[in-house]
Amino acid sequence: MLYIQFIVFTAGTLLAFFWMVVILGHRRQRNFERILFFLCLALFFFYGASLLEFNAQAYFAAPPADLELFAWFFLCVGLTLIPALLLHLQIEYAAIRNIFHRRAAKLSWLVAAYAPLLYFVPHLVPLLRRSTASFDFLTPANELGLAYKIWLVASLVAAAAWQWFFAASAPDQQQKRFHRSLVYALPIAVIGIGAIQLAADFNADFHFGVSIFLAAVPLVPLGALVRNVQRFNFLQIGRQRNLIYAVFGTFLALLYLALVRRVSLWLAKGIPPESTAAILLFLPVAFFEPLQRLLRATLRQAAVSEMDRTQRLMVPIQEIARLGDLAKLQAFSEPWMREQLQLAEVHLVLYQNDENLPPNTATASESLANFEHFPIQHAGRSIGELRVRSHGAMLSGETLAGLEYLSEQLPGALDLCRLIDEKLRLERELAERERLAALGQMAASISHNLKNPLGSIKTILQVQMENGEVPASVRAETNMVLQEINRLSATLSQLLQFSRPTFLGEPGATGCDALQVVDEVLRVLHHEALRRGITVRVSAPMLPFRVAAVSDTVHDIVSNLALNALEATPAGGSLDVRLDTVPGFCKIIVEDDGPGIPQVLQSRVLQPFFTTKTQGTGLGLTIVDRRVAEAGGALEIRSPSKNDHGTRCVVTLPHPP
Ligand code: ADP
Ligand code: MG
């Protein structure tokens, strides 16, 4: 019985202390945690003082009066506060659960919880000064009087009622079970108190047993709380497994120490107590080796499963990384890590290239202060970080280790993701290029085969037109046919230009004269411009205008740009072609009076086959872009170039060396 009493007091002291430490480590305490802290403090006073007195009685024949007074003081303070704090705790929990709809309801409950203190505190003061000899440490509630017992019973009943209510409205099964266990534990305490009161002068042993039992009752919720918090982060306090191990270890050590003292006192007649103590304290060391061997398999398994657990964290992340989509990887891994490590928030922040600041610096720095940061490094360079916020308490050792493991492994996954992304992109590009090459070949063969018959038809028609006997109506129709043939052959030559990959011919030491090519092109387009009623202007400095490209290249560039300009410009407008030189380069500028290219289309006009015209090929600008690039020049398209209309294409080509 004495041992049970000792165990109960020790366990109570440690558990209450444990909860105080946990709550102090809790970052964002709510009122609930604060009240739980004070309730644990009161319990700690009660258990600690009882343990002190227990040890004193075991050690001294007559314990020193000061010591007893000290223990008594804290015992009384603890006991007096327990009923009020117990009720207050229920009220705060109800507040968390949003049960009070009006502030007044909560306030009146609070008043009810604390009002009896007004009566008890004045009673407590004389009690504290009483001679210590007659104190009943075993059932201290007896010393505080019947009124205290009634108060305690009342608050226990009220708490049980609240718990019943919480159990009924609990959101999940585990919380329901927890509250229900309290619904049973609290009335049992009430029955215990009643039993002591009614059987006051009955049987000393019965008295003793019941009082120990009563002292053990608070251990139930405190212990259940530890278990629940550890298993499913109840009350969002966070896992504190290391602290739990520490409490358990201390508890065992204290029990063993008590045993050592008992045994050494018992053997004191024959052996000096110090020697017995020394031997008994060394004994566990001797057992350590075999014990370790016994435990090795278990320890190993625990370590392996712990390692597995962390490694398993990475497996799905790696799998997603293999898809080569960074956004998907991010979208998956954040909630995954949060759930697996039971954290409040996890952000995977990736820095933009060469920029060591997080991209969203707009986040208030004070809210950032709540986060812990785990840098993600690749090849000695910070490429991002994990920003983590726990549910309140500081991060436990395991979570920390898990996060460190993740931040070590993530660069690999990110790299993999990037590589695969790059590979997919290259593959797509290659496929596109192959497609275009095949298309080019086909275009070349078709246009080649069409060009010759078309040429023959055109010649025959032209010869027929020279015959003066042809009636006027047939002449007009033949003219239309000839125009259509011209259009067709223009399209065919565009197709040919597109399929002809590069002019690999050397431009020669002197290149070609751009002005001459421009003149040629405009002479060909002269009729077209006349037909459309467009004025063509050419301006060039009186300089030799040599560019480092073969004349075919410049021809393709100028003809396509000029054709687009003519097609865009309405009748009465003008087409300007200017030549200009800057050191090392020539500029060919083609500007029209057309409507301009809408902003949304500007990024697409260079794509092959993109056209807005019913009879366009969509190849003109593609050919220009390609030729300019081949010649080592640059193409710039500005639209609108004249206030609200017009398009200006500027081609910059290098001078020959
Ligand atoms: P196509 O002339 O066969 O349509 P291009 O590659 O030459 O093909 O031009 C692509 C598109 O770019 C045209 O359909 C047209 O919408 C736009 N574009 C090109 N040049 C001009 C211009 N000078 N003015 C307005 N739009 C133009
Ligand atoms: Mg065109």
Side-chain angles (χ1 to χ4, degrees):
M1 270 305 210
L2 273 180
Y3 255 101
I4 294 174
Q5 194 184 17
F6 176 69
I7 290 170
V8 166
F9 286 159
T10 312
T13 313
L14 281 173
L15 267 177
F17 190 66
F18 165 76
W19 276 113
M20 282 156 62
V21 173
V22 167
I23 293 165
L24 280 182
H26 203 276
R27 289 253 189 79
R28 285 170 309 128
Q29 297 163 356
R30 296 166 290 191
N31 267 349
F32 174 79
E33 278 90 16
R34 294 191 191 111
I35 300 306
L36 182 60
F37 176 85
F38 285 114
L39 181 62
C40 287
L41 187 68
L43 284 170
F44 178 72
F45 282 167
F46 166 69
Y47 285 119
S50 303
L51 190 63
L52 185 67
E53 176 60 22
F54 176 86
N55 278 326
Q57 282 179 3
Y59 193 76
F60 304 107
D66 285 348
L67 187 70
E68 291 223 304
L69 197 65
F70 179 79
W72 179 242
F73 175 79
F74 280 105
L75 193 75
C76 286
V77 171
L79 276 177
T80 312
L81 289 176
I82 284 173
L85 287 169
L86 184 65
L87 258 186
H88 189 172
L89 194 68
Q90 316 299 318
I91 297 166
E92 290 299 343
Y93 189 71
I96 289 182
R97 284 283 204 79
N98 288 325
I99 283 170
F100 297 115
H101 294 300
R102 284 175 301 119
R103 280 185 67 84
K106 186 180 168 188
L107 257 168
S108 51
W109 268 97
L110 281 179
V111 170
Y114 285 101
L117 275 181
L118 290 178
Y119 169 80
F120 280 103
V121 171
H123 273 69
L124 196 64
V125 178
L127 247 164
L128 290 177
R129 277 201 236 100
R130 255 170 57 179
S131 100
T132 53
S134 64
F135 286 167
D136 176 7
F137 271 98
L138 207 53
T139 47
N142 282 346
E143 296 289 325
L144 296 176
L146 184 63
Y148 174 77
K149 282 187 196 165
I150 292 171
W151 184 33
L152 185 59
V153 164
S155 75
L156 284 174
V157 169
W162 271 114
Q163 290 300 328
W164 184 79
F165 184 66
F166 295 147
S169 62
D172 60 49
Q173 215 48 33
Q174 286 136 338
Q175 300 198 24
K176 198 176 275 262
R177 214 170 300 145
F178 175 75
H179 293 303
R180 208 171 286 149
S181 73
L182 284 182
V183 175
Y184 297 131
L186 293 169
I188 289 177
V190 172
I191 295 171
I193 295 170
I196 291 183
Q197 180 59 27
L198 294 180
D201 32 35
F202 205 102
N203 180 336
D205 276 348
F206 173 75
H207 221 106
F208 187 53
V210 173
S211 63
I212 293 174
F213 175 76
L214 267 183
V217 167
L219 298 182
V220 176
L222 285 182
L225 215 54
V226 175
R227 234 172 86 82
N228 286 352
V229 162
Q230 209 243 84
R231 275 175 54 207
F232 43 84
N233 201 8
F234 185 46
L235 291 175
Q236 307 194 333
I237 281 173
R239 306 214 235 155
Q240 301 278 332
R241 209 179 282 179
N242 295 347
L243 251 176
I244 293 171
Y245 292 152
V247 167
F248 191 66
T250 318
F251 179 61
L252 284 185
L254 280 178
L255 286 190
Y256 189 70
L257 275 181
L259 183 80
V260 167
R261 216 169 48 82
R262 286 270 143 174
V263 173
S264 45
L265 280 182
W266 185 47
L267 295 177
K269 294 231 176 57
I271 312 169
E274 283 78 9
S275 326
T276 323
I279 291 168
L280 284 179
L281 284 178
F282 262 109
L283 214 56
V285 180
F287 278 118
F288 195 66
E289 175 70 25
L291 196 73
Q292 204 187 22
R293 201 165 301 165
L294 258 178
L295 282 180
R296 197 163 62 177
T298 336
L299 283 177
R300 206 181 134 266
Q301 210 167 22
V304 166
S305 80
E306 194 60 38
M307 257 159 65
D308 273 359
R309 201 176 71 89
T310 14
Q311 272 165 11
R312 261 203 307 276
L313 276 177
M314 262 327 276
V315 174
I317 295 184
Q318 294 277 20
E319 247 154 52
I320 301 282
R322 245 169 244 140
L323 296 181
D325 188 338
L326 204 64
K328 237 184 226 168
L329 180 69
Q330 211 161 355
F332 168 78
S333 43
E334 283 178 358
W336 168 256
M337 292 189 275
R338 192 182 60 222
E339 275 158 32
Q340 293 296 309
L341 296 172
Q342 296 180 350
L343 294 161
E345 266 180 80
V346 176
H347 297 288
L348 174 58
V349 182
L350 296 175
Y351 303 150
Q352 306 304 23
N353 290 341
D354 300 323
E355 181 192 340
N356 252 355
L357 274 174
N360 51 344
T361 26
T363 328
S365 54
E366 70 179 302
S367 75
L368 267 180
N370 285 331
F371 286 89
E372 300 230 12
H373 304 257
F374 295 84
I376 300 174
Q377 290 189 328
H378 183 56
R381 207 167 60 89
S382 249
I383 57 168
E385 64 182 38
L386 275 181
R387 265 183 223 157
V388 170
R389 194 166 61 76
S390 62
H391 273 300
M394 56 175 220
L395 294 175
S396 74
E398 291 141 65
T399 314
L400 210 64
L403 283 167
E404 272 161 11
Y405 175 79
L406 279 175
S407 62
E408 271 167 25
Q409 296 291 315
L410 273 174
L414 289 172
D415 216 34
L416 182 72
C417 188
R418 277 203 188 118
L419 281 178
I420 289 176
D421 184 30
E422 178 80 8
K423 182 170 161 271
L424 289 177
R425 204 174 51 76
L426 284 179
E427 273 173 8
R428 268 196 301 270
E429 240 168 53
L430 196 69
E432 175 72 13
R433 213 171 285 173
E434 272 169 6
R435 198 175 66 88
L436 281 182
L439 215 62
Q441 261 171 12
M442 200 179 72
S445 102
I446 292 176
S447 24
H448 198 77
N449 286 329
L450 287 184
K451 243 195 138 104
N452 289 340
L454 210 61
S456 313
I457 297 172
K458 190 175 170 182
T459 319
I460 294 169
L461 283 179
Q462 275 169 342
V463 170
Q464 278 185 354
M465 290 279 278
E466 275 159 22
N467 185 352
E469 289 167 19
V470 177
S473 60
V474 176
R475 199 174 277 275
E477 279 169 2
T478 312
N479 254 329
M480 271 163 65
V481 174
L482 275 173
Q483 255 175 34
E484 285 299 297
I485 290 176
N486 280 341
R487 209 180 50 72
L488 258 179
S489 71
T491 303
L492 284 180
S493 48
Q494 219 171 24
L495 271 177
L496 265 177
Q497 285 171 8
F498 173 68
S499 54
R500 196 164 41 197
T502 23
F503 288 107
L504 287 175
E506 266 293 305
T510 50
C512 72
D513 186 353
L515 188 54
Q516 200 182 330
V517 179
V518 167
D519 275 342
E520 266 167 38
V521 171
L522 292 181
R523 207 173 314 131
V524 173
L525 291 178
H526 177 67
H527 284 289
E528 184 68 21
L530 262 182
R531 201 174 63 79
R532 291 175 181 261
I534 297 168
T535 328
V536 180
R537 288 193 294 249
V538 185
S539 65
M542 291 271 93
L543 287 167
F545 218 86
R546 307 211 75 84
V547 292
V550 295
S551 58
D552 279 351
T553 301
V554 183
H555 185 278
D556 285 357
I557 295 172
V558 178
S559 63
N560 280 301
L561 288 181
L563 204 61
N564 277 348
L566 284 180
E567 283 168 351
T569 308
S574 62
L575 157 64
D576 283 296
V577 182
R578 292 194 295 278
L579 297 182
D580 204 355
T581 43
V582 285
F585 293 93
C586 291
K587 282 189 171 186
I588 305 172
I589 303 156
V590 179
E591 186 163 10
D592 62 46
D593 260 342
I597 306 173
Q599 190 70 38
V600 283
L601 299 184
Q602 287 191 6
S603 60
R604 298 172 61 194
V605 294
L606 294 183
Q607 287 170 4
F609 305 111
F610 173 79
T611 181
T612 56
K613 302 166 189 167
T614 43
Q615 292 190 317
T617 55
L619 292 175
L621 287 180
T622 314
I623 294 167
V624 173
D625 190 43
R626 203 189 281 174
R627 295 287 178 262
V628 169
E630 279 162 16
L635 167 67
E636 186 204 345
I637 301 174
R638 173 149 349 135
S639 182
S641 61
K642 305 171 177 176
N643 286 333
D644 56 346
H645 72 293
T647 304
R648 184 193 299 158
C649 300
V650 183
V651 175
T652 311
L653 293 173
H655 276 312

